[in-house]
């Protein structure tokens, strides 16, 4: 069960350390498993991919069934109802609107014989990972692919394991955003296939999307062969609440992320002992009627905490140290506190902006940095799907104005061929 830690007289740094060191992607046992899977797929291609899919997902696939067919898409539409489709389309519209604002422009500057600028080019082919081990995520399909589409990516290759069955919701979501190639593979083997290519699965330029610890470690391992967005692992939420917090809402928000994974993390930091006790009671009450009770119990037992502090500055310094994926500020003056937030993937303000609003509907991306990496990673965005090229033109007069400077700098590095490239142009 979730524990209350009273830090009002002194902070127990061991608790903070436990929360900040959660799933730091340093599990040697998992590293070894993932390394072996990657090497095997790199060497034995499709054969290894099919074997691992049978081993880990219990599903037999081959060259003719690895990809989702048009019949499977049509069948999926017959299994989802109109209300789902209308909610999905509403979400797609909001996510598109939000991400369109992220589009960067190519720019060129012209001055006296000189032109320089920066051209934005979309990546050609990207792989998106949609988790599917313990739940299926149509929302992650749209969150991963919409920024890619807006960036102008030509080809999106989607992979998703079908351990829990091939979800019609996932297939419909993929079709609604125009994804044409969906492969029924997951885990480290899917990441390896996207990174190195197999006969069935095309090699991509970049792999994006969240997943469990095997997926996160695999992405880290193939980085360099392909680009990756970030290392987005098991979900987490950290809530800062004062005495105005409603224990029923706060408990529900904590449980919403705890249900993702046995390694998910849910932490409340509050200035009120009454709120802390109320939330603990509410968690015990609400957990009884939730379906993924076993996962939740394990995650809140291992990576959950309710921390009571004296003031909000202490609460914020702990939150900044943990650097959570999601930070809810449920405070009388939530807006006033934003300036003090240094590290978080996504910030939710006030009691009517619960985390699942961001997971599904509001517009910002739900693929976010986890495990403290919001100290340096940002949410998935249109930027992830473009690269930038610099552009340069000098006329002769402009080059001669800086020729001596270039020669001097080149010679300071002992690079006479560089200097010569300028000198041969002297008159
Ligand atoms: N950050 C985000 O935006 C976001 C969004 C949605 C989900 N999530 C997270 O994604 C994760 C989804 O995890 P999941 O497990 O449901 O699906 P998943 O698709 O990430 O992982 C399933 C795959 O893991 C592999 N696997 C499982 N056990 C293994 C083992 N013992 N050895 C080797 N491989 C093994 C299998 O290949 C399986 O196909 C959760 O942690 C959830 O919190 C994050
Ligand atoms: N909360 C997850 C990101 O950590 C995203 C998600 C998808 N579906 C539900 N939730
Ligand atoms: Zn969620």
């Amino acid at each position: 069960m979730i524990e209350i830690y009273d830090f009002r007289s002194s902070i127990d740094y061991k608790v903070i350390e436990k929360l900040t060191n959660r799933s730091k992607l340093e599990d040697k046992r998992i590293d070894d498993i993932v390394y072996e899977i990657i090497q095997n797929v790199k060497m034995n291609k499709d054969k290894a991919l099919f074997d691992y899919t049978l081993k880990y997902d219990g599903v037999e696939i081959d060259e003719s069934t690895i990809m989702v067919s048009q019949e499977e898409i049509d069948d999926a539409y017959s299994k989802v109802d109109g209300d789902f489709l209308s909610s999905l389309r509403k979400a797609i519209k909001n996510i598109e609107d939000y991400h369109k604002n992220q589009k960067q422009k190519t720019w060129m500057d012209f001055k006296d014989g000189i032109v320089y600028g920066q051209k934005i080019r979309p990546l050609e082919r990207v792989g998106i990972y949609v988790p599917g081990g313990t739940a299926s995520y149509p929302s992650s399909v749209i969150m991963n692919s919409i920024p890619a589409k807006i960036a102008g990516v030509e080809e999106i290759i989607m992979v998703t394991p079908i351990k829990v069955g091939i979800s019609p919701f996932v297939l419909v979501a993929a079709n609604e955003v125009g994804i044409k190639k969906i492969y029924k593979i997951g885990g480290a083997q899917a990441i390896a296939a996207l990174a190195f290519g197999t006969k069935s699965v095309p090699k991509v330029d970049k792999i994006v999307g969240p997943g469990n610890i095997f997926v996160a470690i695999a992405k880290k391992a193939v980085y360099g062969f392909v680009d990756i967005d970030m290392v987005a692992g098991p979900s987490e939420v950290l809530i800062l609440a004062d005495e105005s917090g409603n224990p029923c809402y706060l408990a529900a928000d904590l449980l919403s992320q705890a249900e993702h994974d046995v390694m998910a993390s849910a932490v409340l930091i509050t200035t009120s002992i009454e709120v802390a006790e109320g939330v603990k009671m509410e968690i015990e009450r609400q957990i009884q009627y939730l379906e993924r009770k076993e996962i939740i119990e394990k995650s809140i037992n291992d990576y959950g905490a309710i921390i009571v502090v004296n003031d909000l500055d202490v609460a914020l310094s702990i939150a900044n140290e943990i650097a959570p994926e999601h930070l809810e500020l449920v405070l009388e003056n939530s807006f006033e506190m934003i300036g003090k937030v240094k590290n978080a993937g996504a910030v939710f303000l006030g009691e009517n902006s619960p985390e699942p609003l961001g997971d599904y509907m509001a517009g910002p991306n739900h693929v976010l940095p986890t495990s403290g990496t919001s100290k340096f990673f940002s949410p998935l965005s249109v930027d992830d799907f473009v690269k930038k090229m610099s552009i340069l033109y000098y006329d002769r007069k402009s080059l001669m104005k800086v020729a001596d400077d270039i020669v001097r700098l080149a010679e300071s590095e002992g690079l006479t061929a560089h200097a010569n490239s300028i000198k041969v142009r002297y008159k």
Side-chain angles (χ1 to χ4, degrees):
M1 229 337 118
I2 199 155
E3 260 198 72
I4 297 183
Y5 300 95
D6 193 341
F7 285 6
R8 284 175 299 177
S9 46
S10 69
I11 296 177
D12 183 347
Y13 287 98
K14 280 208 187 92
V15 174
I16 312 281
E17 205 182 308
K18 186 179 162 216
L19 294 170
T20 47
N21 281 339
R22 167 190 157 265
S23 72
K24 273 275 191 245
L25 311 173
E26 282 171 350
D27 186 325
K28 173 89 176 69
R29 196 184 52 87
I30 297 180
D31 271 355
D32 291 345
I33 295 170
V34 167
Y35 181 78
E36 193 187 317
I37 295 173
I38 292 175
Q39 290 310 315
N40 199 358
V41 173
K42 198 173 167 185
M43 296 262 301
N44 299 307
K45 308 276 175 181
D46 272 351
K47 167 146 181 25
L49 194 53
F50 301 155
D51 289 349
Y52 283 126
T53 303
L54 184 59
K55 179 171 176 187
Y56 292 120
D57 298 337
V59 186
E60 225 169 299
I61 49 165
D62 59 28
E63 272 176 40
S64 64
T65 54
I66 186 170
M67 219 170 126
V68 169
S69 65
Q70 189 53 48
E71 292 75 60
E72 284 171 310
I73 300 280
D74 294 342
D75 184 50
Y77 271 88
S78 73
K79 289 182 177 145
V80 305
D81 63 24
D83 287 345
F84 166 76
L85 211 50
S86 117
S87 302
L88 181 75
R89 287 178 180 161
K90 210 187 274 178
I92 290 174
K93 167 89 177 62
N94 289 347
I95 298 163
E96 280 173 352
D97 288 349
Y98 181 86
H99 287 83
K100 275 179 194 157
N101 287 314
Q102 293 175 337
K103 245 188 132 170
Q104 291 194 45
K105 285 197 183 73
T106 289
W107 58 268
M108 295 283 234
D109 215 352
F110 302 83
K111 49 179 177 190
D112 219 12
I114 298 174
V115 181
Y116 60 24
Q118 185 172 265
K119 184 150 182 59
I120 309 284
R121 273 260 177 240
L123 303 185
E124 280 172 38
R125 188 192 284 146
V126 300
I128 67 171
Y129 189 91
V130 176
T134 63
S136 62
Y137 291 99
S139 58
S140 295
V141 174
I142 57 181
M143 291 289 181
N144 275 302
S145 55
I146 288 172
K149 291 249 147 201
I150 290 174
V153 171
E154 273 169 37
E155 194 177 15
I156 298 176
I157 309 291
M158 177 175 138
V159 296
T160 188
I162 55 167
K163 194 173 185 167
V164 286
I166 186 147
S167 157
F169 303 108
V170 163
L171 295 188
V172 168
N175 194 63
E176 288 290 310
V177 289
I179 298 173
K180 304 277 180 243
K181 291 186 175 164
I182 307 166
Y183 292 85
K184 302 165 192 168
I185 50 172
Q189 57 276 17
I191 300 298
L194 289 171
F196 301 109
T198 71
K199 192 168 170 215
S200 305
V201 182
K203 176 180 166 23
V204 299
D205 301 317
K206 180 162 183 168
I207 304 171
V208 304
N212 65 12
I213 193 83
F214 296 93
V215 172
I217 290 182
K219 276 172 70 182
K220 210 171 145 207
V222 299
Y223 175 62
F225 295 100
V226 286
D227 191 14
I228 61 167
D229 51 344
M230 68 185 95
V231 190
S235 306
E236 51 199 40
V237 61
L238 191 152
I239 306 180
L240 291 197
D242 57 17
E243 25 300 304
S244 70
N246 176 332
C248 169
Y249 295 179
L250 299 174
D253 294 3
L254 291 169
L255 291 168
S256 78
Q257 293 313 285
E259 84 169 328
H260 273 295
D261 194 298
V262 288
M263 288 179 84
S265 160
V267 175
L268 169 72
I269 308 180
T270 178
T271 46
S272 160
I273 187 75
E274 290 76 22
V275 167
E277 283 163 356
V279 170
K280 186 173 165 67
M281 272 171 50
E282 271 296 319
I283 286 181
E284 282 161 20
R285 185 183 71 80
Q286 293 180 24
I287 204 171
Q288 299 311 322
Y289 59 77
L290 296 173
E291 281 183 13
R292 292 161 66 89
K293 194 173 158 201
E294 273 178 27
I295 293 181
I296 298 175
E297 271 172 350
K298 177 129 185 55
S299 64
I300 58 171
N301 186 53
D302 293 354
Y303 302 110
I306 297 175
I307 297 171
V308 185
V309 292
N310 277 327
D311 63 61
L312 286 174
D313 282 337
V314 175
L316 272 154
S317 70
I318 297 173
N320 281 326
E321 191 46 38
I322 293 175
E325 178 189 20
H326 306 103
L327 176 66
E328 283 190 13
L329 297 181
V330 187
L331 307 167
E332 261 179 74
N333 301 313
S334 298
F335 274 91
E336 283 173 22
M337 285 294 154
I338 310 174
K340 295 189 175 176
V341 176
K342 289 191 196 149
N343 307 315
V347 183
F348 298 75
L349 301 172
E351 70 171 16
N352 294 311
S353 313
E355 195 276 350
L357 171 71
D359 276 351
Y360 296 108
M361 191 49 66
N365 210 284
H366 83 199
V367 181
L368 300 164
T370 62
S371 314
T373 61
S374 66
K375 284 188 177 174
F376 44 85
F377 284 135
S378 307
L380 189 71
S381 75
V382 173
D383 283 349
D384 279 292
F385 299 98
V386 297
K387 58 202 170 145
K388 292 149 198 160
M389 291 186 302
S390 59
I391 301 205
L392 192 58
Y393 166 83
Y394 268 50
D395 68 9
R396 183 173 175 79
K397 198 167 131 221
S398 305
L399 178 65
M400 287 309 129
K401 269 194 204 158
V402 291
D404 288 345
D405 301 311
I406 301 170
V407 168
R408 208 167 290 126
L409 291 172
E411 285 174 352
S412 79
E413 293 181 353
L415 300 180
T416 49
H418 284 65
N420 196 46
S421 150
I422 304 300
K423 284 183 184 168
V424 293
R425 287 172 166 82
Y426 282 162
K427 276 248 164 83

